[in-house]
Every structure is written in structure tokens, then in C-alpha cells.
Amino acid sequence: MSLHSSSLQIDPAECANLKIVILAARFNPELVDGMLQLTVERLKEIGLPEENIIIQRIPGSAELPYASQQALKSGVFDVAIALGVLIAGETQHHDIVSRTASIGLQQVALELEKPVINGVISAETYAQAEDRTIGKIQRGIEFADAAVEMALWKIK
Ligand code: DLZ
């Protein structure tokens, strides 16, 4: 049996041994928690056993690169998903945090040679952020798909 989402086709048997860590910021909890729930539901739907999905909470998006680095350095996980929501109205430096988090997450992936999924949503308003997390655009599902695809990805 294969699962289809956009172009994703994965045999659930391939996922049985994957271990995924999700780092989730505590800021904007309703939105991050909603995204987290969608991500976890999708991972289980794809075929990951619940016990292979580890969730770690951290204060805010600025801490996501360090937390991802530490989690992946443990050697336990195949892939990390970093979830956070930054809203312009709430922090004047949301743009800087968004950029540094994105650059930091890429650095972790390249240095540790493990995939890191950038699940940081940066928006101008709460309504926009809501739309992109638990509203009409449910990015958590995409993050789960990307994580599994990259954890299994090999150069051919
Ligand atoms: C301080 C802060 C503010 C004002 N806004 C957000 C936000 O909208 N989203 C988010 O994930 N984190 C925010 N933070 C917290 C920072 O990411 C970080 O946790 C603190 O600056 C401590 O390093």
C-alpha cells in the first residue's frame, strides 16, 4: 500500500524504524500546538510508530537551531522537525529571528549531515499565521511528509 500526498509515495513498512524528533517552540502555543498535532497525526498516518516520534518543547523559535543540533547529535534520530511561529506584531525583530533560525537550521543539517525540516512560520499578523498553521494551509502535514521523504532519501 502506498500513501499519496502531492507527490509523496511511501511504503509504510519503510517507516517502521525511522526515529523523528520534533522541536516545538512554546511561543504562540495555540498555533504551534495545532501545527504539532497535524504533523504527528500525519507521521502516524504515513506509518511511523508513535514511540518513534519524540517531542521536545523549547522557549521560542530562536532556540530551534541549538535544540535541533543537540537532538541530532545524540545519534538517536534520523531527522528533526523544528516548529515555531513568529508574528511581526509580537516582536520587532521577528524578521531577524526568522532568518537566523532558518540559517541556523540549515547549518545544523549540513554540519551533522542529517535532514532538518524548517517549520518556522513567519507572518505579519496573527490571522495570517493562523491561516498558515491550522487554517486553510496546514503546513504541519507538509513538514511531516518532507521529514519522512528526507529521512529515507538517498542519492541514486
Ligand atoms: C521574545 C519572543 C517574541 C517577542 N516573539 C516570539 C514569537 O513570536 N515567536 C517565537 O517563536 N518566539 C518569540 N520570542 C522568543 C524568542 O524566540 C526566544 O525564545 C527568546 O528571545 C529567548 O532567546
Side-chain angles (χ1 to χ4, degrees):
M1 184 185 82
S2 282
L3 256 164
H4 302 262
S5 104
S6 56
S7 57
L8 183 73
Q9 289 191 23
I10 294 203
D11 178 352
E14 283 188 272
C15 303
N17 295 319
L18 286 184
K19 289 211 165 58
I20 295 193
V21 61
I22 305 177
L23 297 315
R26 263 186 238 110
F27 239 89
N28 299 307
E30 337 52 43
L31 303 184
V32 175
D33 288 357
M35 201 160 53
L36 175 63
Q37 195 185 334
L38 287 166
T39 303
V40 171
E41 276 169 12
R42 177 65 177 159
L43 289 172
K44 290 198 281 188
E45 190 190 4
I46 293 171
L48 258 95
E50 192 160 7
E51 61 271 22
N52 290 11
I53 306 166
I54 303 300
I55 299 161
Q56 299 270 306
R57 303 309 296 235
I58 52 154
S61 297
E63 285 72 42
L64 287 170
Y66 177 76
S68 304
Q69 181 204 48
Q70 291 303 303
L72 288 178
K73 263 175 84 174
S74 71
V76 172
F77 303 105
D78 300 293
V79 55
I81 303 176
L83 298 180
V85 174
L86 284 150
I87 303 174
E90 290 182 22
T91 169
Q92 289 185 338
H93 65 291
H94 87 288
D95 206 32
I96 296 172
V97 176
S98 166
R99 281 165 203 259
T100 52
S102 295
I103 293 167
L105 292 171
Q106 283 294 351
Q107 270 173 355
V108 170
L110 297 177
E111 277 166 24
L112 299 183
E113 300 184 28
K114 290 267 173 84
V116 179
I117 304 307
N118 182 347
V120 180
I121 304 293
S122 185
E124 289 302 314
T125 62
Y126 187 91
Q128 216 177 56
E130 196 173 26
D131 247 17
R132 296 175 191 172
T133 50
I134 54 176
K136 56 179 181 253
I137 310 170
Q138 301 192 324
R139 301 290 313 278
I141 295 171
E142 289 170 34
F143 300 144
D145 286 354
V148 171
E149 185 171 351
M150 289 313 295
L152 297 171
W153 190 85
K154 288 196 178 54
I155 194 83
K156 289 178 187 116

